[in-house]
Amino acid sequence: EAEVAQSPRYKITEKSQAVAFWCDPISGHATLYWYRQILGQGPELLVQFQDESVVDDSQLPKDRFSAERLKGVDSTLKIQPAELGDSAMYLCASSPDRDRVYFGPGTRLTVT
Amino acid sequence: KQEVTQIPAALSVPEGENLVLNCSFTDSAIYNLQWFRQDPGKGLTSLLLIQSSQREQTSGRLNASLDKSSGRSTLYIAASQPGDSATYLCAVISSNTGKLIFGQGTTLQVKP
């Protein structure tokens, strides 16, 4: 069964450094989501893509976060500079189109 | 603005009990509702998807119902087992925005 791939699985970085996460959605899925999940809370949507276009990035802290999906396939989420409060699980998900959503294993970020 | 609430936040039951998890949402204009399971430190696994026109879905010992007009969904777990211990999250896709919005989750512990 096809899966959403994410890398790295774990990342430890120092405050003020740059960090990047990569996501490869299930083939053919037009919708791609990036979520941030703080321990004990539900996932919070950061950005939603439909093919290569951003559908919603209203909760993305644009002064430090950026996301791209240049060819409408895989996607990169970047943080620069990282802050202590960015420590969280970053989850990528994909969906054919407003249908069942499939999540990747996530990237656990620790900022020291 | 769509808001999703899950009650209770945590639940502990002895093995073998039947249990119900609750999810409510403020805007009935939804495309579908999904229930997910999350094990500690892991990504989310989709359990059940209910389209807005449906009333319920079943998978094994799990049954999810949807009452769109009242903004409620329930996840029923029959004959609970220790392996069911996890956090259960519900999420809705808004018809207006296409955003997938999560509740805070219910953390379930099933004691042997």
Side-chain angles (χ1 to χ4, degrees):
Chain A
E1 182 175 301
E3 297 180 341
V4 177
Q6 288 188 250
S7 67
R9 294 291 307 278
Y10 305 92
K11 180 70 177 179
I12 300 174
T13 191
E14 293 183 348
K15 186 175 62 172
S16 80
Q17 295 297 304
V19 63
F21 313 130
W22 177 78
C23 172
D24 191 12
I26 294 173
S27 178
H29 283 193
T31 305
L32 185 147
Y33 307 87
W34 282 103
Y35 284 87
R36 175 171 61 186
Q37 187 179 28
I38 295 169
L39 191 64
Q41 299 183 16
E44 173 195 22
L45 180 66
L46 292 175
V47 62
Q48 178 178 340
F49 289 93
Q50 184 70 21
D51 298 311
E52 66 276 9
S53 300
V54 173
V55 173
D56 188 297
D57 63 357
S58 58
Q59 299 302 310
L60 188 72
K62 298 182 187 64
D63 57 333
R64 299 186 299 109
F65 286 64
S66 64
E68 60 182 17
R69 191 184 185 198
L70 293 176
K71 297 183 179 179
V73 181
D74 59 338
S75 176
T76 302
L77 178 69
K78 297 179 181 178
I79 308 175
Q80 182 174 19
E83 296 181 353
L84 295 177
D86 296 331
S87 294
M89 176 78 88
Y90 290 83
L91 296 162
C92 179
S94 70
S95 173
D97 187 18
R98 297 190 179 191
D99 204 331
R100 186 180 296 266
V101 179
Y102 298 85
F103 278 80
T107 296
R108 170 69 67 186
L109 173 67
T110 301
V111 182
T112 63
Chain B
K1 179 185 175 184
Q2 176 73 271
E3 294 183 358
V4 181
T5 303
Q6 291 187 245
I7 295 173
L11 183 63
S12 181
V13 300
E15 181 177 3
E17 272 204 8
N18 303 323
L19 58 100
V20 174
L21 306 181
N22 296 294
C23 172
S24 62
F25 46 95
T26 56
D27 186 350
S28 62
I30 64 168
Y31 198 76
N32 60 43
L33 182 146
Q34 277 190 251
W35 281 93
F36 293 88
R37 168 183 173 141
Q38 186 175 33
D39 293 297
K42 306 292 185 182
L44 280 67
T45 300
S46 178
L47 297 173
L48 290 164
L49 169 70
I50 311 177
Q51 301 291 352
S52 62
S53 59
Q54 296 176 325
R55 297 284 293 182
E56 66 177 335
Q57 283 288 328
T58 298
S59 176
R61 294 183 294 108
L62 304 180
N63 176 275
S65 67
L66 173 64
D67 184 343
K68 199 172 72 165
S69 61
S70 67
R72 294 179 182 177
S73 176
T74 61
L75 179 65
Y76 175 82
I77 302 177
S80 59
Q81 303 171 357
D84 294 331
S85 298
T87 296
Y88 292 81
L89 295 139
C90 74
V92 298
I93 290 187
S94 169
S95 297
N96 299 323
T97 65
K99 291 173 65 172
L100 179 66
I101 301 169
F102 281 86
Q104 297 297 298
T106 294
T107 299
L108 172 65
Q109 182 183 33
V110 181
K111 297 180 179 179

